[in-house]
Amino acid sequence: MKKILSITLAALLVMSLFAGCGGSGSGGGDTQGGGAQGGDAQGDITLTLWSHIEFWNDAQDKIIQEFEAANPGIKVKRESFPYDDFESKTQTSLLSKSGGADIYNLWGGWAVDFASTGAFSPVPDDFVAELKADSYEPVLGAFEYEGNYYGVPLEFNIEYGGMLVSIPKFDELGLSYPKTWDEMIRIARENSESRGVNFELRGFDFPAWDALTYIWLSMILSSGGQYMDGDKFNFSTPIGIETMQKLVDYVKVDHMTNTEGITNAEELEPYHKFFLGESLMVPRGPWVVPEGIDDFGLEYGVDFDYVAMPFYGSQKLFAAETGWGLAVNASSANQEAAWKFVEFWLEKDRLLDYNISCGMVPPVKTISHDPDLLAAMPYLAPLVDILDGGRFIGYFNTDILKEAVGDMYVNIINSDISVADAVKELDDTLNEE
């Protein structure tokens, strides 16, 4: 999934002078400015939904058509924008608390910045009770503020628990997929091939924007540790230092891979290299599977597989952030109708259909174990049984965390700084942020 970029309040204030409330979009409806609209000349209510241009727009339009058929008198106009435009327009409107859309299909992490500002309409109490009874912990985390909820989840954004494996290479080596962490590391160590800085085969290509951080957090959590002390980061624990030392040694000593997945991510991420035949195992979220099929022309189950990634410790615990969801604009003149549309979208059968259409892991327990899900996306099988072990990553900007961890890791690999000193500096930097 695409991740949010940090935008300063000063920049947003400047942008708000020029952006207005509308903009050119694509998709359902016209592209004149959206916003908190009233009824039209016939007394109909028109709601505006903002999203970014993505393959899932067709699935959104299907829901809109079904809703309008079931609710005469309420129209929904979808306006979609290129991602960067969508991000800036959404955050500008939420900062100004005027204009914008009635409903936002937004990245859950944005709620960390805006749930406390009054920009979002609170989720109705009865809907909250239903969600809390059936949702996994991480999917609601960023939408909660001081006991109230300001958005609802459309997915479980999981970046730990599964990994890509090369079927031809495992067959050629006569190996079975690893069942334990030690087996995984032994296979990677024994079968990595490199000549200097050039790799012919990366055994376990894990250093990447998301993967490195989520692997480290899971190593800590699954070992019974924590990385937060109240509202402060505290990676400088024996478990935190020990696990980071392991991750450093996998590159610096064992030469399983290098740090190009962090330093050269704009060119090729590790999963791209995997689909090009350069890696044996690559940890990544399940959303990369369709990309291997559609963009690289590979056959799932023949050219590659997606299997359970072993846990480092004895507990099957991992961190996850709140992914894509829906929020209603507090300045909308039609909040009741907007929430009616949101609740319609999250009805179980409809949400299941949307998750399948978009290749998303469902955010609620009853849907994640629906047999139709695995029939449509069999590669999710390694994940559905561990979703209860997901822990909300924390109420902070996750981009800052991932960038800081990546920078620290590359610095350790390329210098003589000790892991303990580097981790202490990481804590200090993050807590200052």
Side-chain angles (χ1 to χ4, degrees):
M1 297 295 180
K2 295 177 180 176
K3 307 302 181 188
I4 60 172
L5 304 173
S6 296
I7 298 180
T8 64
L9 296 182
L12 283 170
L13 286 169
V14 173
M15 288 159 54
S16 67
L17 298 175
F18 301 98
C21 299
S24 71
S26 66
D30 61 49
T31 57
Q32 300 304 309
Q37 303 184 38
D40 60 21
Q42 289 75 41
D44 287 347
I45 291 173
T46 299
L47 301 172
T48 302
L49 167 70
W50 275 6
S51 66
H52 71 288
I53 296 172
E54 189 55 89
F55 70 90
W56 55 53
N57 293 150
D58 289 343
Q60 295 169 356
D61 287 341
K62 180 175 182 289
I63 292 172
I64 290 171
Q65 292 167 6
E66 293 172 350
F67 177 79
E68 291 179 342
N71 295 273
I74 305 178
K75 305 295 182 184
V76 180
K77 179 173 62 174
R78 174 179 63 81
E79 296 183 347
S80 297
F81 312 91
Y83 185 82
D84 289 345
D85 293 342
F86 167 68
E87 180 185 39
S88 62
K89 286 173 66 67
T90 296
Q91 296 199 30
T92 297
S93 70
L94 294 175
L95 180 69
S96 65
K97 299 182 186 178
S98 63
D102 296 286
I103 305 155
Y104 298 96
N105 173 211
L106 49 71
W107 179 251
W110 293 350
V112 171
D113 296 319
F114 292 102
S116 63
T117 68
F120 294 135
S121 171
V123 181
D125 290 342
D126 56 344
F127 197 13
V128 169
E130 179 183 346
L131 288 170
K132 290 177 69 175
D134 197 23
S135 295
Y136 294 103
E137 177 186 315
V139 305
L140 292 174
F143 290 123
E144 188 271 337
Y145 179 72
E146 293 188 343
N148 295 313
Y149 291 83
Y150 295 92
V152 299
L154 291 174
E155 64 157 348
F156 190 125
N157 182 258
I158 185 169
E159 285 291 348
Y160 187 90
M163 65 180 179
L164 300 162
V165 294
S166 171
I167 294 176
K169 287 183 170 58
F170 266 87
D171 288 347
E172 178 185 336
L173 295 168
L175 296 171
S176 299
Y177 300 148
K179 301 298 183 184
T180 68
W181 186 275
D182 288 343
E183 286 180 3
M184 179 180 71
I185 296 305
R186 177 182 57 78
I187 290 172
R189 183 183 291 123
E190 292 177 355
N191 295 284
S192 298
E193 299 178 15
S194 62
R195 295 180 180 178
V197 297
N198 298 315
F199 274 82
E200 297 178 6
L201 184 65
R202 300 166 187 268
F204 181 50
D205 197 8
F206 65 90
W209 171 257
D210 287 307
L212 173 66
T213 297
Y214 283 110
I215 289 173
W216 189 27
L217 298 186
S218 178
M219 291 172 78
I220 293 170
L221 294 173
S222 68
S223 301
Q226 298 291 330
Y227 54 88
M228 300 291 293
D229 184 3
D231 62 352
K232 298 292 185 182
F233 288 95
N234 184 20
F235 288 103
S236 298
T237 63
I239 291 176
I241 294 169
E242 170 200 317
T243 49
M244 177 50 63
Q245 185 67 63
K246 293 275 189 181
L247 293 171
V248 168
D249 289 347
Y250 296 155
V251 169
K252 207 166 184 177
V253 177
D254 299 320
H255 305 293
M256 298 178 187
T257 184
N258 56 24
T259 59
E260 285 183 352
I262 298 172
T263 60
N264 199 30
E266 293 183 0
E267 295 296 325
L268 286 176
E269 284 204 42
Y271 73 92
H272 293 137
K273 293 187 176 74
F274 173 86
F275 290 136
L276 292 171
E278 299 177 14
S279 305
L280 186 62
M281 298 177 287
V282 173
R284 207 66 169 97
W287 56 272
V288 300
V289 172
E291 189 167 338
I293 299 168
D294 298 335
D295 295 350
F296 289 83
L298 301 179
E299 185 176 353
Y300 179 73
V302 174
D303 298 309
F304 71 99
D305 207 344
Y306 190 75
V307 303
M309 180 176 168
F311 282 85
Y312 177 80
S314 60
Q315 303 178 58
K316 294 184 177 182
L317 299 177
F318 62 96
E321 56 190 292
T322 303
W324 289 98
L326 297 170
V328 171
N329 192 338
S331 67
S332 169
N334 298 298
Q335 294 179 46
E336 183 177 351
W339 278 116
K340 188 173 185 178
F341 174 65
V342 171
E343 292 190 43
F344 182 87
W345 191 330
L346 267 73
E347 290 177 1
K348 296 295 190 292
D349 289 344
R350 190 165 292 106
L351 181 57
L352 172 62
D353 183 60
Y354 183 75
N355 289 147
I356 291 173
S357 298
C358 302
M360 293 176 171
V361 178
V364 295
K365 300 173 184 179
T366 51
I367 297 179
S368 67
H369 292 282
D370 191 302
D372 288 343
L373 180 74
L374 292 185
M377 296 186 285
Y379 52 87
L380 293 186
L383 304 179
V384 295
D385 291 334
I386 67 168
L387 295 179
D388 280 321
R391 298 293 180 263
F392 178 49
I393 190 171
Y395 213 74
F396 50 78
N397 186 313
T398 56
D399 280 352
I400 292 176
L401 171 66
K402 286 179 277 190
E403 183 176 0
V405 170
D407 289 345
M408 176 199 69
Y409 186 76
V410 172
N411 184 39
I412 297 172
I413 299 296
N414 294 331
S415 72
D416 294 326
I417 188 172
S418 71
V419 169
D421 289 343
V423 169
K424 178 62 170 61
E425 289 182 9
L426 175 71
D427 282 338
D428 293 341
T429 299
L430 289 173
N431 288 324
E432 287 176 6
E433 292 281 355

